[in-house]
Amino acid sequence: MTAAERASRAAAADELCQRAFAEVGCPETGVALVAVGGYGREELAPYSDLDVVLVHDPEVAVGDWAGAVWYPLWDSGANIDHSVRSVPEVLEQAGADLKVALGMLDVRHLAGDPNLTLRLRTAILAAWRRDARQRLPELHELVRNRGRLLGELAHDSVPDLKEATGGLRDATVMKALVATWLVDVPHGELESCRQALLDVRDALHAVAGRGTDRVTPEYWSDMAPLLDLPDATAVQKHTRGLGRRLTHLSRLTWRRVDSVLRRPAKNPASRRPQLTTIGNGLAVAYEEIVLDRDAQPSRDPLLLLRAAAEAAERDLVLEPTTAARLVAEVPALPDPWPAEARDLLVRLLAAGRGLLPVWETLDEIGAVATFLPEWERVRLLPHASEVHRFTVDRHMVETCIEASAMIRRVARPDVLMVAALLHDIGKGQLTEHCVAGEPIARDIARRMGFDERETELLAGLVRWHLLLPETATTRDPEDPATVDLVLKHVVDREQLELLATLTEADARATSDKAWTTWRASLIRDLVRRVAAELANFPVVEDDRHGVEVPDAVRADPGRVEVGVVEHGDGSSVTVMSGDRVGLLADAAGMLALQRVSVRAARAWVDGEIGVSVWQVARTGLDAAVLRERLARIVEGVVDPAARLGRVDKEALAPTVTVRPEASDRATVIEVRASDRPGVVYLVCSALARLGLTVTSAHVDTLGPQAVDVFYVQEANAGALGDRRAAEAAHAVRAALTVPAAGS
């Protein structure tokens, strides 16, 4: 099954058409017989129809020959799709019907007047290019509707080689997009995938004995020898891999089309991309993440993950040649990973729908294997169960997308997102996949730099990710033994929250049938019963990191001391001064104005001195500059709120929870919000405006989420009453939701 065989079939059909044209005495001037569609491209499968049009100039009167030309073709046994049209009629029909226009783009001369065919082809292409900006949005909607109706070639259980997303129709559409001259695609990659998929269709026709584009399960094995592949599994992986590559190319091309259509039709600017630097060696060009001019990939092992995270979070394309260069030049990550690498991966995984196209780019160029070689175990692996709508690898990515909308439910979104990515990593092994996946996940977690407790937590989530649905649907919820079964494997509320959230994300990513209202209610009832048996997760109140207050600061509480200590890929910033309402807010504002990413922070009161230690993701900070910035905030010269950006309307809403059980001496307020500059400042300043003192703060940035715990007291008066606690929670929630003043 080769391109040569397809060309041979087309040549035989050409000869048949030419003989028929000559036999019936068609005029040789002003009339032409042309092939369109797949026949026009000389891509006939064994049972393909012949799409032909008899075209004539308006001045040529149509005679009996116009009907007689089809009889020899019918007598030959060929399946033909035919019509007779004048040139203006063809152009009018192509202008009214996109499907006709796409077919006519491949018009090829068969017999008759070649000049007429040339004029027709020229007019069709000119009209296509002239009207492209008006027609492409409609074409894009047709492509999307077809995908919604027929699914993806890479994942559907009975894939359609032609009409499914990533099928031959998409390849034809991409050629049509290139013909507009508005965008380009990697021609070599598109053509190789298209030809290989045509080989698969030829094999399908051969084993089916008829013209069909749908591959039912019984055909895979018989197609293997025709494609020189060992077995049905190999044919499936080969076919689905082609579909995925074409899907990726199609999505990338349409993103570029949309970007072009948003720009003015006549742009006097240079055709060279206009770079907008976003820092750390990266830039944006035409809605794609590319390398900045001064980027040095060979010196930055984090640049690949950083580029991917930026693209996914901004919902931009990770430009494929940029990604390929990063794979070739970026050094391997150390073992274990630095904290920033893990944070970038979590940000990528938690980016929502922006993750999918970026992950596809990474996967297609082999980038995933550079930081997660275990991915090859599940790549393009079909699920054994038909309830799954995706292959194993795509299902894991979809689980991440579902989990990203639920990170406010858990205190450890970093663990949740990595567990979502790895929960089915044991698929394809001889043993049960939950059992097989646990040691794999444990090894990956250690390599990523998770500590021992986090590693065991993550491995446990992979091992027991089916525990809740299996127990909830097969055991009596009223029986105490049902809860005891879960408690054998779930030790605290934190683990239960993670497991419940992973369960829902996994089910939603599987199919609509996997997360019905009934199943959801059973699982949630079980989680409620288990939670009632577990003690609340304790919050550590004091962690002073061995910091001592200098005598000079104790002697002069009005003095402000700022110190910076660098370590590896970040710094520790210590702030000390006489304790007062608003001190922590001012320190947080100082860092927010420097656009410093806070990874963690601790604050406490030592005698009369307020102390805070901030772990930040930057080196090269100048203590004197920070001290000067803090002084200007304290004096009221600079208002940090006026300089903070607006709240992203698309971001998940913050959650603010009062935890009365967590402390007897203070009111504990837990805040979960999207990580961005100024989160801690906004919280602390909102509390300060209420005259409340933050006696201890525990700040952690976990991937895309800040999980911050604040111990709050009335000034010199202990824990808050219920009314004041509710007032404080409301003020914090409002501060994190309303756009910053002056922004």
Side-chain angles (χ1 to χ4, degrees), residues 21 270 289 331 339 355 459 487 490 697 714:
F21 188 90
S270 167
I289 294 294
L355 167 65
L487 289 173
V490 177
E714 298 283 5

Side-chain angles (χ1 to χ4, degrees), residues 451-643:
D451 65 27
E452 194 60 33
R453 179 185 178 277
E454 295 163 342
T455 295
E456 291 307 311
L457 179 59
L458 201 155
L461 291 173
V462 172
R463 172 63 182 90
W464 299 109
H465 73 270
L466 296 180
L467 174 65
L468 294 179
E470 289 180 349
T471 304
T473 56
T474 62
R475 300 295 185 95
D476 179 0
E478 303 292 339
D479 189 338
T482 300
V483 170
D484 290 342
L485 176 62
V486 177
L487 289 173
K488 289 180 181 179
H489 310 294
V490 177
V491 298
D492 56 34
R493 287 285 294 274
E494 179 182 56
Q495 186 181 8
L496 181 63
E497 286 179 351
L498 287 165
L499 191 60
T501 306
L502 176 61
T503 297
E504 181 174 345
D506 182 19
R508 289 184 181 278
T510 299
S511 69
D512 293 338
K513 297 177 182 178
W515 192 250
T516 62
T517 301
W518 173 73
R519 287 176 65 87
S521 65
L522 290 178
I523 292 169
R524 287 168 180 162
D525 182 61
L526 176 60
V527 169
R528 179 181 59 80
R529 292 173 183 273
V530 174
E533 295 296 322
L534 292 171
N536 287 291
F537 183 67
V539 180
V540 178
E541 295 200 22
D542 239 351
D543 186 1
R544 304 191 177 194
H545 297 281
V547 175
E548 297 292 337
V549 178
D551 292 340
V553 177
R554 291 194 186 278
D556 181 10
R559 176 189 179 113
V560 177
E561 187 73 21
V562 178
V564 177
V565 177
E566 294 188 1
H567 45 80
D569 58 352
S571 304
S572 295
V573 178
T574 303
V575 178
M576 302 181 186
S577 187
D579 184 41
R580 59 178 172 80
V581 173
L583 174 61
L584 192 64
D586 291 344
M590 169 191 73
L591 295 171
L593 292 181
Q594 294 292 106
R595 295 289 164 176
V596 172
S597 176
V598 177
R599 291 177 177 163
R602 298 291 182 265
W604 62 91
V605 177
D606 188 340
E608 297 182 354
I609 306 301
V611 183
S612 58
V613 178
W614 308 78
Q615 307 297 330
V616 301
R618 187 189 294 183
T619 57
L621 294 172
D622 188 322
V625 172
L626 293 176
R627 190 180 302 111
E628 186 272 338
R629 181 62 58 89
L630 179 57
R632 291 172 64 82
I633 293 172
V634 172
E635 294 166 3
V637 176
V638 174
D639 178 10
R643 301 193 181 188

Side-chain angles (χ1 to χ4, degrees), residues 400-419:
C400 290
I401 293 170
E402 295 290 347
S404 69
M406 306 177 193
I407 59 174
R408 290 292 181 276
R409 301 183 187 179
V410 300
R412 291 304 303 265
D414 53 340
V415 173
L416 172 67
M417 297 314 304
V418 176

